[in-house]
Amino acid sequence: MNAFDPTLFDAPIARRDSGCVKWTRFDEDVLPMWVADMDFAVAEPIRAAIADRLAHPVLGYGVAQQRVKERIVAWLAARYGWEVPPEAILLLPGVVPGFNLALRALCGPGAGVVVQTPVYPPMLKAPGNWGLRRVDAPLTDDDEVDMDALRTALRGAGHGPAAQDGAFLLCNPHNPTGRVFGVAELAAMAEACLAENVPIVSDEIHCDLLFDGRRHIPLASLAPEFAARTITLMSAGKTWNIAGLNACWAVVPDAGLRARYAAALAGVADHVNILGLVATEAALAEGEPWRQALIAYLQANRDWLLRAVAERLPGVRLRAPEGTFLAWLDCRGSAAAADPHRFFLDRARVGLNAGPDFGPPGQGFVRLNFGCPRALLEEGIGRMQRALAGA
Ligand SMILES: Cc1ncc(COP(=O)(O)O)c(C=O)c1O
């Protein structure tokens, strides 16, 4: 495979009757550019591995074999320079169940969970799922960490005398802003958590989708004392577009924390989809050339989108995403300001994610998924341009 083979990603794929959520939610004339999966075919080696597994006729409960854990450990070491033993890895049916169950493991009744708004909606909902308090620490207007707001929120997380009552739920790379936090920001956040005795649940699901040569930094890899207090969640689901296979992994280097987490998983998330395990292993073992090509394609889509927004969508602003395939469009200065989701759905027939679903700072924003063939992205922007021009 060439370093960059656009033909892998240019081909339109009809998904409407494939039983996927993305192409089902809206009417047939709406172009769906919302939920975070991509309109790209899964990499050949992954499909081949699944086909091989299906040659075996039994599909009973899955278990993570040692070699899957070893593959993950090798990936963490090679890609991020993060050395952890295989026993630190737990396989789970998804990152969303993973962070929900982490809160169950970590938080006492009435404790607070700190989230950095605007943020992925299931993170906003997770504290409420367990009767916990959500404590918002909004990012700055420039999508940077507001350390004062974070410290105040952590103090309010109510960890109390029983250590580890509250939690900090981090999203890095950050959905929806596309921010990739750097060493200094990550270390400052982790230090603040340590100072308040608040453990960290770090959702790093977008970690292998970074642009401009960036390298992902797992927060827990920065210092042993951070690792001891952190549950890190990662997955092949976003990067290799296999989210429907429901498999992910947690990295929990501290044995005590791991036991506590395992106890919270028991009876709720005991098994992982057997094809998800196969696909995860194949992605990490053989999926790197495809991933490299994907990054090149997504980065070109991002750059095209940045120009198109600036030149063709009057009053809409976009700060360049540093990772992910998500664009957080600030429509507050545009004709769509009052309710951009509704505006673009009704007038452009483009289905986006509504900003307010990501928390209060999302008012006047929409999230657009650019993980799609360029032609589809151009179609979407063309529709949005015409809608704004006609407003
Ligand atoms: C930040 C983040 N976490 C988790 C998920 C979903 O993870 P999973 O499908 O493994 O539950 C997404 C999907 O968009 C996401 O953006």
Side-chain angles (χ1 to χ4, degrees):
M1 189 185 298
N2 297 328
F4 178 38
D5 180 359
T7 58
L8 281 170
F9 307 105
D10 270 339
I13 300 175
R15 298 185 65 195
R16 203 166 275 285
D17 288 322
S18 68
C20 69
V21 64
K22 187 177 192 179
W23 289 78
T24 302
R25 171 180 283 191
F26 298 110
D27 294 341
E28 290 221 358
D29 65 330
V30 172
L31 194 56
M33 306 188 84
W34 63 294
V35 69
D37 73 29
M38 301 184 285
D39 296 310
F40 300 137
V42 171
E44 225 305 296
I46 299 178
R47 282 185 287 153
I50 293 171
D52 271 1
R53 179 59 187 80
L54 288 176
H56 189 289
V58 184
L59 295 170
Y61 291 118
V63 65
Q65 291 169 298
Q66 185 66 10
R67 61 164 212 260
V68 178
K69 295 188 179 183
E70 281 167 7
R71 182 61 69 186
I72 292 168
V73 163
W75 181 263
L76 300 178
R79 297 241 9 109
Y80 328 123
W82 190 18
E83 306 279 348
V84 297
E87 62 267 23
I89 308 294
L90 301 172
L91 273 293
L92 309 172
V95 168
V96 172
F99 60 64
N100 270 281
L101 291 165
L103 298 185
R104 183 190 191 202
L106 295 168
C107 298
V113 177
V114 177
V115 292
Q116 290 174 303
T117 52
V119 81
Y120 179 54
M123 287 192 169
L124 295 181
K125 294 192 193 101
N129 292 341
W130 306 104
L132 303 168
R133 282 180 299 118
R134 187 182 106 203
V135 187
D136 292 1
L139 295 177
T140 67
D141 288 343
D142 293 325
D143 303 331
E144 283 171 3
V145 179
D146 179 337
M147 281 308 300
D148 289 336
L150 181 63
R151 282 193 197 93
T152 306
L154 290 168
R155 237 166 272 134
H159 50 90
Q164 301 187 341
D165 257 5
F168 173 43
L169 194 45
L170 172 68
C171 186
N172 178 47
H174 187 263
N175 172 1
T177 64
R179 273 300 320 278
V180 173
F181 298 122
V183 175
E185 280 171 304
L186 290 170
M189 289 191 272
E191 292 289 359
C193 288
L194 247 51
E196 296 298 331
N197 198 22
V198 172
I200 302 165
V201 181
S202 190
D203 176 338
E204 304 185 9
I205 194 169
H206 294 278
C207 56
D208 295 312
L209 293 167
L210 270 50
F211 303 134
D212 313 310
R214 286 183 178 79
R215 190 173 193 232
H216 177 67
I217 306 160
L219 175 142
S221 72
L222 289 176
E225 58 273 30
F226 301 161
R229 304 297 310 277
T230 303
I231 294 174
T232 304
L233 295 159
M234 294 173 162
S235 164
K238 296 287 141 198
T239 308
W240 285 276
N241 209 27
I242 51 174
L245 289 176
N246 295 92
C248 87
W249 67 86
V251 189
V252 195
D254 183 80
L257 184 56
R258 198 161 63 238
R260 212 164 144 188
Y261 191 37
L265 297 170
V268 189
D270 295 320
H271 302 285
V272 182
N273 182 313
I274 202 160
L275 298 180
L277 292 168
V278 168
T280 298
E281 187 182 357
L284 302 188
E286 301 171 76
E288 180 58 9
W290 187 93
R291 190 188 73 88
Q292 293 282 349
L294 171 77
I295 296 292
Y297 194 89
L298 288 177
Q299 191 170 308
N301 265 6
R302 177 203 64 174
D303 293 343
W304 182 90
L305 182 64
L306 280 167
R307 277 194 305 277
V309 169
E311 290 166 10
R312 295 166 52 188
L313 302 186
V316 179
R317 288 178 55 236
L318 173 61
R319 184 167 293 108
E322 298 165 335
T324 80
F325 43 82
L326 306 167
W328 185 232
L329 298 177
D330 178 354
C331 306
R332 289 174 298 179
S334 78
D339 185 348
H341 174 257
R342 177 59 40 209
F343 178 93
F344 289 119
L345 183 58
D346 290 348
R347 302 201 194 194
R349 306 306 277 160
V350 174
L352 304 163
N353 284 92
D357 291 350
F358 296 77
Q363 191 65 45
F365 286 74
V366 279
R367 194 191 72 177
L368 178 146
N369 177 343
F370 59 87
C372 61
R374 174 68 62 80
L376 204 143
L377 183 59
E378 289 181 8
E379 169 67 21
I381 294 300
R383 291 184 186 200
M384 292 166 73
Q385 177 180 10
R386 289 192 291 279
L388 285 171

